[in-house]
Amino acid sequence: METENLQALLTPEGQSLLAELREYSPGDELALATRLRRDHPAGLVSAALAQARLRQRAQAKFGEDAALMYFTPNGVEQSTRRSVAEWRARRFAALGVRRLADLCCGIGGDAIALARAGIAVLAVDRDPAACAAAAANAAALGVAELVEVRCADVADVDVTGYDAVFTDPGRRTSKGRVFDPEAYSPPLSWAVGAARRTPVGALKIAPGIPHELVPEDAEAEWVSDHGDVKEAVLWFGTGADHRHRATLLPLGATLTGGDLPDPAAGPVGRYLYEPDGAVIRAHLVAEVAREVGGRLIDPMIAYVTADHLVPTAHAHAYELTDVLPFNVKRLKALLRERGAGTVVIKKRGLAMTPEELRRKLKPEGPNSATVILSRVGDGHLMMIGRPVTAPAGGPDQAQAQT
């Protein structure tokens, strides 16, 4: 989106067009565009249609706010999900932050959440279109008095007098994702330096960052939303006495630690626990095992088993009815005996995908079952059971993990 297009959309005529397009169906776009161009400039209609498409894509991240916001294509892809931004804003507010510099602010998703938490924000980005969208979004959502948008290189910003710095480096180029943290824009080392210049600092990183790259004075937090790991953040100045944190949204359940030795492995018991993805990324499986009094089923697999059920917000628990060596024919027969037509398949340590296995099983019947496949030692197990606790904000459908 060009800055000029956004400015045109902010006019009364542009606002009228956006209001008319709020509930439009993409399948009707051609006929709708033809009709609208009879009464409005073609360029304005094209800009409004593009913005309407972006708003529809952004609903998954921003909910009802998306209908009022302004987006760039990169902004939709790279902006922080509203629930995650609000969680982070609450952490900043709880740490006493009242003035914050939001570097690489993009379209302003984090800045809006921070302002809603009562924090005055300097939002900085070098992309004029992103800055225009950030300013328009702050105004549209009623927080413009707390958000100052500045189009500049973040390296030129003086953060003296601010309580905190938050940096969200660019991790994509025209060629795709960037995996080397020093190839971020700005580089990880620069962002770490910026975070240390104020009493509190934070910077967003890819969830898959190697733990050895986490600075000694940082607290690393991995955040999941409805079971999907969304991001990791390095925090400075929090006073935390632990190095790793996993936060599970929407419940806000938090697990900290990172210093326990790896738990021992042992035989599969009556219950199986699947730690949340954020817990696994944060290397806090040992903390879950201690919490439930359990053990691993294999030293290299993040499944915890126990003989007794202990409620936990940090893992999904399953009561097992069958634990057998993996065999497709045997599994198909067991599911057919039980009339299990709805089968959730989870797996770790196997090359076969859930989709491939489902095609082989051809499940039928009115009942449901959960099938959990795992490597154990030199072989593979199939475990059949049912969930006994509601997922801690997790998805309705299981996700395969390898």
Side-chain angles (χ1 to χ4, degrees):
M1 178 187 67
E2 299 295 333
T3 305
E4 295 78 9
N5 289 339
L6 174 59
Q7 297 305 321
L9 292 175
L10 295 176
T11 64
E13 185 177 14
Q15 292 292 291
S16 176
L17 270 174
L18 287 175
E20 187 168 353
L21 292 171
R22 178 171 290 193
E23 303 297 336
Y24 98 107
S25 170
D28 300 331
E29 183 170 317
L30 181 60
L32 184 60
T34 301
R35 177 176 63 79
L36 292 175
R37 285 172 181 149
R38 296 173 187 152
D39 302 311
H40 304 282
L44 182 59
V45 172
S46 295
L49 284 167
Q51 193 58 224
R53 290 193 295 270
L54 291 173
R55 285 178 168 183
Q56 288 189 352
R57 287 172 54 195
Q59 285 178 1
K61 280 190 174 183
F62 291 94
E64 61 185 15
D65 282 349
L68 300 174
M69 294 176 69
Y70 300 87
F71 299 96
T72 66
N74 285 340
V76 173
E77 295 294 333
Q78 301 180 27
S79 57
T80 303
R81 181 177 292 265
R82 175 179 170 177
S83 58
V84 178
E86 289 175 343
W87 165 257
R88 183 164 40 247
R90 290 195 296 271
R91 279 207 75 185
F92 273 120
L95 290 166
V97 172
R98 295 296 175 264
R99 296 185 70 224
L100 179 145
D102 178 5
L103 308 182
C104 308
C105 68
I107 57 139
D110 278 286
I112 290 165
L114 290 159
R116 283 172 165 170
I119 297 172
V121 183
L122 170 64
V124 183
D125 204 287
R126 66 184 179 186
D127 180 357
C131 289
N137 288 335
L141 296 176
V143 293
E145 71 280 1
L146 286 173
V147 179
E148 174 192 349
V149 179
R150 184 182 302 176
C151 195
D153 190 313
V154 295
D156 298 331
V157 176
D158 182 6
V159 297
T160 302
Y162 286 87
D163 303 321
V165 165
F166 172 64
T167 307
D168 184 2
R171 296 180 298 283
R172 290 177 182 268
T173 67
S174 59
K175 297 180 180 180
R177 290 182 183 273
V178 173
F179 296 98
D180 178 7
E182 284 306 301
Y184 290 175
S185 180
L188 175 65
S189 56
W190 185 94
V192 168
R196 290 170 172 158
R197 293 205 298 269
T198 50
V200 177
L203 62 109
K204 186 164 30 168
I205 54 176
I209 187 171
H211 281 226
E212 58 266 24
L213 295 183
V214 175
E216 289 291 331
D217 58 336
E219 176 200 18
E221 178 183 29
W222 282 262
V223 182
S224 67
D225 186 34
H226 288 85
D228 293 329
V229 181
K230 294 301 179 183
E231 65 177 52
V233 179
L234 299 183
W235 289 88
F236 296 83
T238 64
D241 57 3
H242 47 262
R243 296 200 60 207
H244 298 168
R245 174 190 295 261
T247 298
L248 286 57
L249 301 176
L251 295 182
T254 291
L255 183 65
T256 60
D259 301 318
L260 293 180
D262 292 336
V268 178
R270 181 178 178 184
Y271 296 96
L272 188 80
Y273 295 86
E274 179 191 24
D276 183 89
V279 171
I280 296 172
R281 292 279 193 174
H283 292 185
L284 297 176
V285 174
E287 280 72 9
V288 170
R290 182 178 64 175
E291 182 182 13
V292 303
R295 55 195 176 272
L296 297 178
I297 67 171
D298 181 274
M300 302 302 294
I301 299 293
Y303 281 137
V304 175
T305 187
D307 302 312
H308 304 284
L309 178 64
V310 178
T312 174
H314 308 119
H316 300 194
Y318 302 88
E319 183 176 18
L320 302 179
T321 57
D322 301 87
V323 179
L324 300 165
F326 177 53
N327 181 281
V328 174
K329 290 184 178 179
R330 178 60 176 148
L331 177 58
K332 183 176 182 179
L334 283 171
L335 294 176
R336 183 174 296 171
E337 287 175 9
R338 293 160 197 191
T342 301
V343 179
V344 176
I345 301 172
K346 311 174 79 67
K347 64 101 176 180
R348 287 202 177 114
L350 279 81
M352 183 183 295
T353 68
E355 292 73 21
E356 291 173 325
L357 180 58
R358 192 181 303 279
R359 285 195 294 269
K360 293 176 182 291
L361 296 176
K362 300 178 182 177
E364 295 180 2
N367 300 321
S368 61
T370 299
V371 173
I372 305 167
L373 310 177
S374 177
R375 185 184 71 241
V376 177
D378 295 329
H380 297 92
L381 286 182
M382 58 185 190
M383 297 166 278
I384 304 175
R386 61 180 183 85
V388 293
T389 58
D396 292 333
Q397 296 298 319
Q399 296 182 348
Q401 295 168 304
T402 56

